[in-house]
Amino acid sequence: MKPPILFIVIPCYNEQEALPITAKRLTELTDDMIARSIIAPESRIVLVDDGSRDATWSVITSLHGADARFEGVKLAHNAGHMNALWAGMTLSAERCDCVITIDADLQDDVNAMYGFLEAFQKGADVVSGVRASRKTDTWFKRTTAQGFYKVMGKLGVEMVYNHADYRLLSKRALEALLSFGEVNMFLRGMVPMLGFKTAQVTYERGARVAGESKYPLKKMIAFAMEGITSLSNKPIRYVLLLGALCALLGMAMAIYVIISLVRGHTVAGWASLMMSVWLLGGLQLMALGLIGEYVGKIYMETKRRPKFILEEHLK
Ligand code: UDP
Ligand code: MG
């Protein structure tokens, strides 16, 4: 059987320190895979510059100049991790047999790709890389990330535990994924919806090869919110439930008030009144905020905006 054409897609945002190291490791890796007929020589490494503000694009340009295996994609602005991945996958889909997505910092073990391709050869359409442990992550990152997976599970979103966006997709899985029209996307939750034959490969997660994390707390929170609100509508149900509870409480309150009225103790109503005003006001605001979140999403979806805008494609 002919070895498959593999496209490795890498989102890069301000990765000038990590990229040269990453590129070197991936060159060695793909050299070896080509020599051992695991992948075809037409395989490519697609570096997607997600609107970096440092020298990332010039690093990519020189890599492309030196070795045709490297392709460069430059997005016109910082579209975000998911959109950068989407851009790379969209531009690879037609020419590859399978695609692997991996972060530019090589925290995910590249050698797991041998396992990915083996599973692919055995017929898997989706192969997820799963972290054996998170020893190299900070305590904060580890706890928040694990909490997030738990919450998502409770909200009924199917996700692979401790799996990030390090995965292999066959051509048909990729095409199916790319046919999703949604603008708000959370790949980790979308891939399990494809339902193709899946496999998992476990590896140890290392530290960043160079540079620092491009995911500050603000982006992490935005990412988690995106994951929850774009895949689950359970939060809105909880709000409904909370509203119903409040209404019940209000009724009990009304009965109490009427009894007090009949008994003639109507002077000291101030405390309970203030309390209800504050309580209800707060709850209403909360509910409104959450509804607003969904309305905002509907608004974004109806715009049907492109997920990325291509500036340049070196191939
Ligand atoms: N990234 C991106 N756009 C962004 C933020 C990050 O393309 O706006 C890329 C980044 O270059 C890296 C990957 O997403 O390849 C994951 O980022 P990072 O390693 O900083 O996240 P962490 O591992 O700390 O969660
Ligand atoms: Mg990282």
Side-chain angles (χ1 to χ4, degrees), residues 33-104:
M33 284 181 164
I34 292 168
R36 287 163 58 183
S37 293
I38 297 175
I39 58 172
E42 301 85 26
S43 296
R44 293 280 177 274
I45 298 166
V46 183
L47 304 167
V48 185
D49 178 2
D50 183 17
S52 298
R53 271 174 297 221
D54 65 356
T56 301
W57 183 244
S58 62
V59 175
I60 294 176
T61 320
S62 58
L63 282 169
H64 172 73
D67 185 346
R69 202 179 319 170
F70 288 100
E71 277 189 19
V73 173
K74 187 177 195 308
L75 303 188
H77 67 294
N78 183 224
H81 187 187
M82 292 292 122
N83 291 319
L85 279 173
W86 195 273
M89 292 192 298
T90 305
L91 297 169
S92 305
E94 268 188 8
R95 292 172 291 148
C96 69
D97 295 318
C98 58
V99 62
I100 291 180
T101 50
I102 186 170
D103 289 350

Side-chain angles (χ1 to χ4, degrees), residues 26-221:
L26 286 176
T27 310
E28 289 162 7
L29 182 90
T30 45
D31 275 345
D32 180 62
M33 284 181 164
I34 292 168
R36 287 163 58 183
S37 293
I38 297 175
I39 58 172
E42 301 85 26
S43 296
R44 293 280 177 274
I45 298 166
V46 183
L47 304 167
V48 185
D49 178 2
D50 183 17
S52 298
R53 271 174 297 221
D54 65 356
T56 301
W57 183 244
S58 62
V59 175
I60 294 176
T61 320
S62 58
L63 282 169
H64 172 73
D67 185 346
R69 202 179 319 170
F70 288 100
E71 277 189 19
V73 173
K74 187 177 195 308
L75 303 188
H77 67 294
N78 183 224
H81 187 187
M82 292 292 122
N83 291 319
L85 279 173
W86 195 273
M89 292 192 298
T90 305
L91 297 169
S92 305
E94 268 188 8
R95 292 172 291 148
C96 69
D97 295 318
C98 58
V99 62
I100 291 180
T101 50
I102 186 170
D103 289 350
D105 57 6
L106 295 194
Q107 279 188 285
D108 305 299
D109 182 10
V110 291
N111 290 316
M113 287 189 199
Y114 288 102
F116 283 20
L117 285 154
E118 206 178 295
F120 172 68
Q121 291 291 14
K122 284 190 190 142
D125 282 290
V126 179
V127 188
S128 313
V130 178
R131 296 164 190 170
S133 68
R134 282 174 165 263
K135 271 184 274 186
T136 53
D137 279 342
T138 60
W139 175 86
F140 180 72
K141 183 115 195 170
R142 199 165 53 225
T143 348
T144 48
Q146 273 161 359
F148 174 64
Y149 284 103
K150 290 217 179 91
V151 170
M152 290 298 275
K154 287 253 172 2
L155 292 177
V157 177
E158 204 186 321
M159 271 196 346
V160 181
Y161 192 66
N162 263 348
H163 156 65
D165 290 292
Y166 184 27
R167 73 171 73 81
L168 176 143
L169 292 174
S170 69
K171 192 190 186 79
R172 75 180 172 154
L174 180 62
E175 276 168 356
L177 180 68
L178 292 175
S179 72
F180 280 49
E182 61 210 76
V183 173
N184 296 293
M185 35 163 208
F186 190 73
L187 292 176
R188 267 166 237 194
M190 284 159 70
V191 170
M193 285 183 211
L194 298 174
F196 284 116
K197 193 177 170 215
T198 52
Q200 292 185 6
V201 172
T202 311
Y203 62 92
E204 283 295 332
R205 179 159 158 102
R208 241 179 186 281
V209 290
E212 54 202 37
S213 175
K214 309 297 182 284
Y215 262 98
L217 187 62
K218 205 174 121 206
K219 269 192 190 170
M220 268 167 67
I221 294 172

